[in-house]
Amino acid sequence: MTIRYATALDLDAINAIYNHYVLNTAITFDYDPWSIQRRQAWFEKLLNSDGYYHVLVKEDAQGMIVGFAYNGEFREKLAYKISSEITIYLHHERQAKGMGSELMTALLEKMNSSPIRRAYSVITLPNPASLRLHEKFGFKQVGYLTDVGYKFEQYYSVAILEKTTLDH
Protein backbone atom coordinates (compact mmCIF):
# COMPACT_ATOMS: atom_id res chain seq x y z
CA MET A 1 0.00 0.00 0.00
CA THR A 2 1.15 3.49 -0.77
CA ILE A 3 0.32 6.95 0.51
CA ARG A 4 0.59 9.84 -1.91
CA TYR A 5 -0.77 13.30 -2.59
CA ALA A 6 -4.31 13.21 -3.93
CA THR A 7 -5.09 14.33 -7.46
CA ALA A 8 -8.35 15.41 -9.08
CA LEU A 9 -8.70 11.83 -10.35
CA ASP A 10 -9.09 10.64 -6.74
CA LEU A 11 -12.05 12.85 -5.89
CA ASP A 12 -14.75 10.30 -6.82
CA ALA A 13 -13.16 7.73 -4.50
CA ILE A 14 -12.71 10.30 -1.72
CA ASN A 15 -16.34 11.31 -2.08
CA ALA A 16 -17.55 7.70 -2.00
CA ILE A 17 -15.64 7.06 1.24
CA TYR A 18 -16.87 10.27 2.85
CA ASN A 19 -20.48 10.03 1.72
CA HIS A 20 -20.81 6.58 3.31
CA TYR A 21 -20.13 8.23 6.67
CA VAL A 22 -22.55 11.08 5.90
CA LEU A 23 -25.39 8.67 5.19
CA ASN A 24 -24.68 6.02 7.82
CA THR A 25 -22.94 7.60 10.82
CA ALA A 26 -22.73 10.67 13.02
CA ILE A 27 -18.95 10.81 12.63
CA THR A 28 -19.61 13.76 10.33
CA PHE A 29 -22.41 16.18 11.08
CA ASP A 30 -23.17 16.65 7.37
CA TYR A 31 -26.70 15.50 6.57
CA ASP A 32 -26.43 15.50 2.78
CA PRO A 33 -23.87 13.67 0.63
CA TRP A 34 -21.31 15.86 -1.07
CA SER A 35 -21.67 16.42 -4.80
CA ILE A 36 -18.58 16.03 -6.93
CA GLN A 37 -18.72 19.80 -7.61
CA ARG A 38 -18.53 20.52 -3.88
CA ARG A 39 -15.63 18.07 -3.52
CA GLN A 40 -13.79 19.73 -6.41
CA ALA A 41 -14.18 23.18 -4.82
CA TRP A 42 -12.93 21.76 -1.49
CA PHE A 43 -9.90 20.24 -3.24
CA GLU A 44 -9.05 23.44 -5.12
CA LYS A 45 -9.20 25.48 -1.91
CA LEU A 46 -6.79 23.10 -0.17
CA LEU A 47 -4.45 22.97 -3.17
CA ASN A 48 -4.26 26.77 -3.32
CA SER A 49 -3.15 27.21 0.30
CA ASP A 50 0.52 28.12 -0.26
CA GLY A 51 1.74 24.86 1.29
CA TYR A 52 -0.37 25.07 4.46
CA TYR A 53 -2.75 22.24 3.61
CA HIS A 54 -2.33 18.71 2.28
CA VAL A 55 -4.63 16.01 0.91
CA LEU A 56 -3.27 12.46 0.98
CA VAL A 57 -4.74 9.16 -0.19
CA LYS A 58 -3.85 5.60 0.68
CA GLU A 59 -3.98 3.06 -2.14
CA ASP A 60 -4.05 -0.71 -1.85
CA ALA A 61 -1.90 -2.99 -4.04
CA GLN A 62 -4.52 -2.81 -6.82
CA GLY A 63 -4.56 0.99 -6.81
CA MET A 64 -7.93 1.33 -5.02
CA ILE A 65 -8.24 4.31 -2.67
CA VAL A 66 -8.83 2.84 0.81
CA GLY A 67 -8.51 6.02 2.85
CA PHE A 68 -7.70 9.70 2.81
CA ALA A 69 -6.36 12.30 5.20
CA TYR A 70 -6.14 16.05 5.00
CA ASN A 71 -5.56 19.14 7.02
CA GLY A 72 -7.49 22.29 6.34
CA GLU A 73 -8.58 25.59 7.73
CA PHE A 74 -9.17 25.59 11.49
CA ARG A 75 -11.16 28.84 11.51
CA GLU A 76 -11.76 31.39 8.79
CA LYS A 77 -10.02 34.42 10.32
CA LEU A 78 -6.47 35.04 9.09
CA ALA A 79 -4.80 34.91 12.51
CA TYR A 80 -5.85 31.25 12.78
CA LYS A 81 -3.86 30.33 9.65
CA ILE A 82 -1.04 28.83 11.76
CA SER A 83 -3.54 26.29 13.14
CA SER A 84 -5.15 23.51 11.16
CA GLU A 85 -7.87 20.89 11.60
CA ILE A 86 -7.01 17.36 10.52
CA THR A 87 -9.35 14.66 9.23
CA ILE A 88 -8.85 10.99 8.39
CA TYR A 89 -11.39 8.67 6.77
CA LEU A 90 -10.95 5.00 5.90
CA HIS A 91 -13.10 3.00 3.50
CA HIS A 92 -15.75 1.39 5.70
CA GLU A 93 -15.07 -2.10 4.29
CA ARG A 94 -11.28 -1.82 4.22
CA GLN A 95 -10.35 -0.69 7.71
CA ALA A 96 -7.26 -2.62 8.68
CA LYS A 97 -5.17 -2.25 11.78
CA GLY A 98 -2.56 0.43 11.27
CA MET A 99 -4.10 2.21 8.28
CA GLY A 100 -5.17 5.23 10.33
CA SER A 101 -1.72 5.42 11.93
CA GLU A 102 -0.02 5.31 8.54
CA LEU A 103 -2.17 8.15 7.22
CA MET A 104 -1.67 10.16 10.43
CA THR A 105 2.11 9.70 10.25
CA ALA A 106 2.23 10.83 6.61
CA LEU A 107 -0.05 13.81 7.22
CA LEU A 108 1.87 15.04 10.27
CA GLU A 109 5.14 14.74 8.32
CA LYS A 110 3.72 16.98 5.59
CA MET A 111 2.39 19.43 8.17
CA ASN A 112 5.81 19.56 9.83
CA SER A 113 7.23 21.07 6.65
CA SER A 114 4.50 23.71 6.52
CA PRO A 115 3.96 26.90 8.55
CA ILE A 116 1.29 25.14 10.66
CA ARG A 117 2.07 25.31 14.41
CA ARG A 118 -0.97 23.53 15.94
CA ALA A 119 -3.14 20.64 14.79
CA TYR A 120 -6.72 20.14 15.94
CA SER A 121 -9.24 17.37 15.57
CA VAL A 122 -12.93 17.45 16.43
CA ILE A 123 -14.20 13.94 17.18
CA THR A 124 -17.85 12.92 17.51
CA LEU A 125 -18.35 10.81 20.62
CA PRO A 126 -18.30 7.99 21.35
CA ASN A 127 -15.34 7.08 19.14
CA PRO A 128 -12.70 5.26 21.22
CA ALA A 129 -10.67 4.16 18.19
CA SER A 130 -10.22 7.71 16.93
CA LEU A 131 -9.40 9.00 20.41
CA ARG A 132 -6.74 6.28 20.84
CA LEU A 133 -5.25 7.07 17.43
CA HIS A 134 -4.92 10.76 18.24
CA GLU A 135 -3.54 10.13 21.73
CA LYS A 136 -0.93 7.80 20.20
CA PHE A 137 0.33 10.78 18.19
CA GLY A 138 0.47 13.18 21.12
CA PHE A 139 -2.91 14.87 20.80
CA LYS A 140 -4.48 15.98 24.09
CA GLN A 141 -8.13 16.68 24.72
CA VAL A 142 -8.57 20.42 25.26
CA GLY A 143 -12.31 20.73 24.92
CA TYR A 144 -15.64 18.98 25.17
CA LEU A 145 -18.86 20.28 23.63
CA THR A 146 -21.97 18.68 25.11
CA ASP A 147 -24.83 17.71 22.77
CA VAL A 148 -23.53 20.11 20.13
CA GLY A 149 -24.78 18.04 17.17
CA TYR A 150 -28.09 16.41 16.28
CA LYS A 151 -28.30 13.66 13.68
CA PHE A 152 -30.39 10.51 13.29
CA GLU A 153 -32.77 11.67 16.04
CA GLN A 154 -29.96 11.76 18.60
CA TYR A 155 -27.72 14.38 20.23
CA TYR A 156 -23.94 14.02 20.00
CA SER A 157 -21.11 15.55 21.95
CA VAL A 158 -17.64 16.14 20.52
CA ALA A 159 -14.13 16.17 21.91
CA ILE A 160 -11.63 18.75 20.68
CA LEU A 161 -8.06 17.48 20.57
CA GLU A 162 -4.89 19.50 20.04
CA LYS A 163 -1.34 18.63 19.09
CA THR A 164 0.71 21.54 20.34
CA THR A 165 4.18 20.58 19.21
CA LEU A 166 4.67 20.15 15.50
CA ASP A 167 8.32 19.65 14.64
CA HIS A 168 9.51 22.98 13.24
Side-chain angles (χ1 to χ4, degrees):
M1 292 199 203
T2 60
I3 296 175
R4 60 171 175 77
Y5 275 106
T7 70
L9 297 175
D10 301 318
L11 297 182
D12 284 330
I14 288 171
N15 234 19
I17 291 169
Y18 183 75
N19 284 338
H20 168 82
Y21 290 97
V22 170
L23 294 171
N24 298 289
T25 77
I27 289 173
T28 172
F29 284 172
D30 277 330
Y31 272 48
D32 299 315
W34 280 37
S35 67
I36 195 63
Q37 293 80 13
R38 183 175 180 192
R39 182 62 62 193
Q40 289 167 337
W42 164 87
F43 187 63
E44 288 298 319
K45 182 177 181 179
L46 294 176
L47 280 183
N48 295 321
S49 69
D50 296 327
Y52 279 78
Y53 307 137
H54 310 277
V55 183
L56 306 176
V57 294
K58 184 169 182 60
E59 291 181 316
D60 67 10
Q62 291 74 41
M64 180 182 165
I65 305 297
V66 295
F68 69 98
Y70 69 95
N71 72 299
E73 189 173 66
F74 173 66
R75 300 279 312 257
E76 189 175 314
K77 294 176 175 63
L78 188 56
Y80 286 115
K81 192 162 181 155
I82 60 163
S83 300
S84 183
E85 185 173 350
I86 66 162
T87 303
I88 298 174
Y89 282 97
L90 302 175
H91 190 286
H92 70 281
E93 294 176 341
R94 301 291 303 272
Q95 296 180 7
K97 188 168 176 68
M99 281 179 44
S101 290
E102 291 170 5
L103 278 165
M104 180 74 84
T105 298
L107 182 60
L108 291 175
E109 285 176 5
K110 300 296 184 195
M111 291 173 69
N112 282 336
S113 64
S114 78
I116 299 295
R117 307 300 283 175
R118 298 281 188 270
Y120 293 91
S121 191
V122 179
I123 300 172
T124 304
L125 301 172
N127 193 336
S130 186
L131 290 172
R132 277 192 308 272
L133 173 66
H134 285 77
E135 289 167 2
K136 174 181 172 181
F137 284 90
F139 283 79
K140 303 286 185 214
Q141 186 171 327
V142 295
Y144 182 88
L145 304 176
T146 305
D147 293 344
V148 69
Y150 186 78
K151 188 173 178 181
F152 303 130
E153 308 300 318
Q154 183 176 339
Y155 291 97
Y156 290 92
S157 299
V158 298
I160 302 170
L161 282 72
E162 175 185 59
K163 184 171 177 61
T164 58
T165 54
L166 294 178
D167 297 329
H168 285 284

